């Protein structure tokens, strides 16, 4: 089957419970469980079994079970969680404001779902679709052995691509094209191209821009690394016209390493590695290439990260660096168990896609070998100097005229997205959910982020682009708020540990690229902040409509129906809760401008509408900013010092007489697997 209501049911239920919460102005407690107590199961509203959306994994429960036993490779314990053999028996339901457990392709929806996972420990979740599986042997269409060998530190010697900058591009692309399978109905019927170790210890491939066709799984074996070519000419949008590896006002000059445009049922999986080589000096296949950027002292060519730093921090322009994986439109794309590292720019961007799953994926940038090196200014490579290396950025796209991979879906919506059991450490947003720069863009909705750990980065973000509404077209999956259609909606984040990111949970935008963001829920979240940040004071919770100074574009931020239910911050942090007010003194600061639209009269005021329940900061805030906000506090309470006054209202439910234990963070924080 190529349709699976699992992810949609999980996400759709969020609308119901968020609406109920905002109407009642109170929340039942569902925070974290005590370490000695089993998870509590909560009741949930039923959903129609007639809802049908693309499968997150493309594999039915039955086929998943049969595939697991015959899969050539078994999961590496360090790279993906083990699946429990027998789920915990549900206990008596205690509350009704939790997402509905979804159905799988072959099973009806359950009426219960676990309420409070102990953060960082869960290996089984009945609310999620079946875990993807590696291809069965009969599905392997082509097997390619490695011919190159990486060094002990994980990098390639310069000699590996001294004469040919992308020696494996042609044979990998030929295999992908030969295995094209548009009749595939999901992972279980995809054809697979498998990259395997070669003779005499060979374990590496080097390729430039690759195109993944429909119905094909690129399988990277354990111990094998697919390295990105360090030749910008391999990623130029038009061959023969230099556009990549340059600094310009726009950043749209590069193809990605792996490109999947308008396809159905594509996948990249395996226990191998994709390495973008972001800190390696660039080379060119064009003799004496005038567009190959060199370090100012002439000592060597720039690296991708050198270009990123110079563009962002020195010239205030844009870096034209390739992404690792770009999925553009289409449906049902899966990343499973693969490790992504050292991306020149973003690691993964699922844009305008209906159905995307990342399960058991590890993202780590920069790796230790690069952190032992320095950039062109003599600064060590680090997450701070590897700019714009976001982890996973689901985003809507602009409208399109045709979409073979998803006929009839032309608005550019990004929908039905699942990110589960991921570990992300990077130089920008760990995850950033985006909704377009203008109203012509599609919407972003039905997103679940579950059972994941973030390390260094900029946290769990929504924004800054979130203006897309398909020009106001109606959409059965999108619920209006006070007659306004949201750009980003129905996002459910739970069982998340954030350890060392300089932002924890964040929604960000400004008046040049925003709109309505609604029905967003965060539950069972543990946050540990760094002591300092190069980008300002670390903030565990930040909701700001003043992300960066811009001209007024008439696209005013509006954050509604935001729920924090079971969140714990274990050390010192700053906090910001701001609604939008066009008369705010913030807009009088440097860089802001009314532009041709000017300052609205009367002012536009969109108060932040947010509910907090069992939100605990173990240490008093370093700073605490609240403005233009409607705060609702549930019976589980909060330790944050909200005070009504000015344009801030605070509504408190009666405290729970039995008390509510803070989220258990005792096992939330741990080292990045395998590092």
């Amino acid at each position: 089957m190529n349709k699976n209501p699992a992810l949609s049911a999980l996400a759709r239920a969020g609308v119901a419970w968020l609406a109920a919460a905002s109407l009642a102005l109170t929340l039942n407690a569902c925070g974290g469980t005590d370490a000695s107590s089993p998870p509590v199961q909560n009741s949930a509203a039923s959903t129609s079994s007639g809802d049908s959306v693309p499968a997150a994994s493309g594999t039915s429960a039955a086929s998943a079970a049969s595939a697991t036993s015959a899969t050539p490779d078994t999961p590496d314990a360090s790279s993906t969680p083990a699946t429990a053999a027998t789920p915990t028996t549900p206990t008596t339901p205690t509350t009704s404001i939790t997402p509905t457990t979804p159905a799988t392709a072959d099973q009806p929806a359950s009426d219960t779902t676990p309420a409070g996972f102990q953060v960082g420990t869960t290996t089984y979740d009945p609310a999620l679709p079946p875990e993807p599986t590696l291809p069965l042997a009969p599905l392997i269409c082509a097997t390619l052995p490695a011919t190159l060998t990486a060094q002990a530190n994980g990098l390639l010697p310069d000699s590996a691509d001294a004469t040919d900058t992308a020696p494996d591009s042609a044979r990998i692309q030929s295999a992908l094209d030969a295995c094209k399978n548009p009749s595939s109905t999901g992972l279980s019927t995809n054809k697979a191209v498998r990259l395997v170790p070669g003779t005499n210890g060979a374990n590496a491939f080097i390729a430039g821009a690759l195109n993944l066709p429909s119905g094909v799984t690129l399988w990277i074996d354990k111990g094998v690394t697919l390295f990105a070519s360090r030749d910008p000419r391999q990623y130029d949008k038009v061959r023969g016209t230099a556009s990549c590896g340059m600094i310009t006002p726009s950043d749209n000059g590069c193809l990605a390493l792996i490109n999947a445009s308008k396809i159905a049922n594509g996948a990249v999986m395996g226990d191998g590695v994709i390495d973008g080589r972001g800190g390696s000096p660039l080379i060119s296949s064009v003799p004496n290439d005038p567009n190959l950027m060199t370090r100012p002292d002439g000592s060597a060519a720039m690296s991708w990260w050198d270009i990123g730093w110079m563009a962002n921090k020195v010239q205030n322009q844009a870096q034209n660096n390739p992404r690792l994986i770009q999925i553009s439109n289409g449906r049902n794309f899966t990343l499973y168990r693969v490790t992504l590292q050292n991306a020149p720019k973003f690691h993964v961007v699922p844009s305008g896609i209906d159905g995307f799953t990342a399960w058991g994926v590890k993202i780590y940038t920069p790796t230790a070998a690069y952190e032992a090196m320095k950039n062109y200014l003599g600064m060590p490579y680090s997450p701070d100097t590897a700019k714009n290396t976001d982890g996973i950025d689901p985003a809507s796209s602009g409208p399109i005229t045709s979409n073979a991979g998803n006929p009839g879906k032309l608005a550019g919506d990004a929908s039905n997205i699942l990110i589960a059991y991921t570990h992300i450490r990077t130089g920008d947003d760990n995850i950033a959910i985006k909704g377009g720069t203008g109203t012509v863009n599609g919407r972003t909705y039905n997103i679940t982020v579950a059972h994941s750990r973030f390390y260094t980065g900029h946290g769990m973000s929504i924004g800054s682009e979130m203006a897309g509404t398909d020009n106001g077209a109606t959409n059965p999956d999108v619920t209006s708020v006070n007659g306004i259609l949201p750009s980003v909606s129905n996002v459910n984040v739970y069982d998340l540990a954030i350890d060392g990111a300089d932002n924890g949970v964040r929604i960000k935008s400004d008046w040049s690229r925003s709109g309505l963001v609604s029905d967003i829920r965060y539950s069972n979240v543990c946050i540990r902040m760094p002591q300092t940040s190069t980008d300002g004071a670390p903030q565990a919770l930040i909701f700001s409509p003043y992300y960066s100074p811009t001209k007024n574009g008439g696209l005013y931020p509006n954050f509604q129906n935001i729920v924090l239910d079971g969140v714990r911050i274990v050390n010192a942090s700053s906090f910001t809760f701001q609604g939008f007010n066009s008369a705010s003194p913030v807009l009088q600061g440097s860089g802001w401008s009314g532009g041709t639209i000017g300052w609205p009269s009367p002012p536009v005021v969109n108060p932040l509408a947010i509910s907090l329940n069992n939100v605990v900061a173990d240490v008093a805030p370093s700073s605490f900013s609240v403005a233009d906000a409607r705060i609702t506090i549930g019976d589980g309470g909060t330790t944050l010092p909200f005070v009504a006054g000015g344009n801030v209202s605070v509504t408190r439910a009666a405290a729970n007489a039995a008390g509510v234990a803070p989220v258990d963070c005792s096992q939330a924080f741990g080292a990045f697997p395998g590092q």
Side-chain angles (χ1 to χ4, degrees):
M1 298 177 67
N2 69 347
K3 295 288 183 180
N4 186 338
L7 187 56
S8 181
L10 179 66
R12 287 173 192 267
V15 175
W17 50 247
L18 277 165
S22 60
L23 286 172
L25 294 179
T26 58
L27 292 171
N28 293 327
C30 75
T33 59
D34 293 332
S36 60
S37 303
V40 177
Q41 302 284 332
N42 283 356
S43 65
S46 63
T47 56
S48 169
S49 60
D51 290 335
S52 178
V53 298
S57 68
T59 307
S60 70
S63 63
S66 63
T68 300
S69 62
T71 299
D73 286 348
T74 56
D76 179 3
S78 67
S79 65
T80 189
T83 301
T86 305
T88 303
T89 301
T91 58
T92 303
T94 59
T95 181
S96 60
I97 17 178
T98 47
T100 301
T101 302
T104 66
D106 300 306
Q107 297 173 332
S110 167
D111 62 354
T112 60
T113 188
F117 298 94
Q118 184 178 351
V119 176
T121 65
T122 301
T123 58
Y124 174 77
D125 181 355
L128 297 182
E131 180 175 343
T133 57
L134 294 175
L136 296 172
L139 298 174
I140 299 173
C141 174
T143 299
L144 306 180
T147 59
L148 303 170
T149 304
Q151 302 172 132
N153 65 358
L155 304 184
L156 284 168
D158 289 345
S159 59
D161 49 1
T163 58
D164 186 344
T165 63
D168 295 301
S169 285
R171 68 177 179 134
I172 295 176
Q173 189 62 61
S174 294
L176 294 172
D177 291 342
C179 296
K180 182 178 180 180
N181 183 24
S183 63
S184 172
T185 57
L187 290 183
S188 61
T189 55
N190 272 14
K191 293 183 179 180
V193 173
R194 188 174 184 182
L195 307 186
V196 302
T199 58
N200 300 317
N203 61 359
F205 298 78
I206 303 176
L210 299 169
N211 292 306
L212 190 70
S214 286
V216 175
T217 295
L218 177 61
W219 180 359
I220 305 171
D221 251 13
K222 183 177 181 179
V224 174
T225 301
L226 172 61
F227 288 95
S229 173
R230 52 196 175 108
D231 176 8
R233 304 289 73 80
Q234 297 291 331
Y235 309 99
D236 289 333
K237 288 288 187 75
V238 177
R239 185 166 292 276
T241 301
S243 59
C244 193
M246 305 168 71
I247 296 175
T248 65
S250 171
D251 66 350
N252 194 34
C254 301
L255 297 169
L257 172 62
I258 297 175
N259 302 270
S261 179
K262 300 180 181 179
I263 72 166
N265 303 312
V268 176
M269 57 175 59
D271 295 307
V273 176
I274 299 176
D275 192 310
R277 306 171 81 190
S280 294
L282 301 182
I283 56 176
S284 178
S285 51
V286 174
N288 303 313
D289 188 347
N291 296 296
L292 184 66
M293 295 185 64
T294 58
R295 292 187 169 189
D297 63 4
S299 61
M302 298 280 267
S303 71
W304 296 117
W305 294 336
D306 286 343
I307 293 173
W309 183 272
M310 179 178 283
N312 286 273
K313 292 295 188 179
V314 178
Q315 298 185 8
N316 194 28
Q317 293 208 67
Q319 67 199 78
N320 285 278
N321 291 356
R323 303 168 177 182
L324 277 191
I325 302 176
Q326 173 70 50
I327 307 113
S328 301
N329 309 109
R331 59 186 170 87
N332 294 356
F333 193 96
T334 302
L335 293 177
Y336 180 50
R337 285 170 37 178
V338 69
T339 294
L340 310 176
Q341 60 192 36
N342 301 320
K345 201 178 178 187
F346 304 153
H347 288 78
V348 185
V349 179
S351 176
I353 187 168
D354 183 11
F356 169 83
T357 293
W359 188 300
V361 174
K362 295 190 295 184
I363 297 175
Y364 194 96
T365 294
T367 54
Y370 281 119
E371 290 190 319
M373 304 178 187
K374 295 181 178 179
N375 72 4
Y376 77 100
L377 293 176
M379 299 183 294
Y381 286 129
S382 71
D384 290 332
T385 56
K387 306 304 295 181
N388 285 346
T389 51
D390 296 39
I392 303 176
D393 286 5
S396 64
S397 73
I400 53 179
T401 57
S402 65
N403 188 350
N406 201 7
K409 294 281 189 177
L410 304 178
D413 289 355
S415 58
N416 305 314
I417 290 169
L418 171 64
I419 301 170
Y421 299 105
T422 58
H423 293 76
I424 304 177
R425 183 248 197 199
T426 189
D428 208 302
D429 293 305
N430 300 81
I431 291 177
I433 299 169
K434 302 180 180 182
T437 56
T439 58
V440 67
N441 289 78
R443 301 179 177 90
T444 302
Y445 51 89
N446 292 358
I447 297 179
T448 297
V449 179
H451 312 303
S452 295
R453 283 179 168 173
F454 296 170
Y455 302 82
T456 305
H458 292 174
M460 178 65 240
S461 297
I462 297 177
S464 57
E465 303 93 339
M466 39 197 184
T469 61
D470 188 21
N471 286 322
T474 58
N475 185 323
D477 291 299
V478 174
T479 302
S480 66
V481 178
N482 297 324
I484 300 173
L485 291 165
S487 171
V488 177
S489 63
N490 209 12
V491 176
N492 187 16
V493 178
Y494 65 98
D495 186 22
L496 174 64
I498 301 176
D499 188 11
D502 53 12
N503 295 293
V505 169
R506 175 169 66 161
I507 301 180
K508 55 180 179 175
S509 199
D510 58 59
W511 63 0
S512 71
R513 50 189 162 182
S514 193
L516 174 62
V517 177
S518 68
D519 300 329
I520 315 295
R521 178 183 174 91
Y522 308 91
S523 58
N524 277 86
V525 178
C526 289
I527 302 174
R528 182 165 65 182
M529 304 303 295
Q531 293 185 349
T532 60
S533 168
T534 58
D535 292 325
Q539 300 206 61
L541 304 176
I542 175 170
F543 304 90
S544 175
Y546 312 116
Y547 172 59
S548 59
T550 62
K551 294 180 180 179
N552 181 7
L555 298 170
Y556 303 120
N558 189 2
F559 306 158
Q560 301 292 309
N561 294 348
I562 314 300
V563 173
L564 304 174
D565 192 359
V567 177
R568 187 172 184 179
I569 303 94
V570 303
N571 62 347
S573 175
S574 296
F575 298 82
T576 298
F577 296 82
Q578 296 171 322
F580 179 76
N581 188 334
S582 64
S584 169
V586 173
L587 297 176
Q588 306 301 320
S590 175
W592 295 98
S593 168
T596 57
I597 295 177
W599 272 264
S601 181
V604 172
V605 182
N606 293 326
L608 167 68
I610 188 167
S611 300
L612 298 92
N613 186 67
N614 191 19
V615 176
V616 175
D618 291 355
V619 178
S622 305
S623 66
F624 192 76
S625 175
V626 185
D628 300 297
R630 296 196 304 269
I631 311 296
T632 300
I633 299 174
D635 63 0
T638 181
T639 62
L640 298 180
F642 290 102
V643 177
N647 200 24
V648 175
S649 67
V650 181
T651 303
R652 297 179 185 270
N656 188 323
V660 177
V663 173
D664 184 354
C665 297
S666 61
Q667 298 186 57
F669 308 117
F672 195 103
Q675 298 293 327

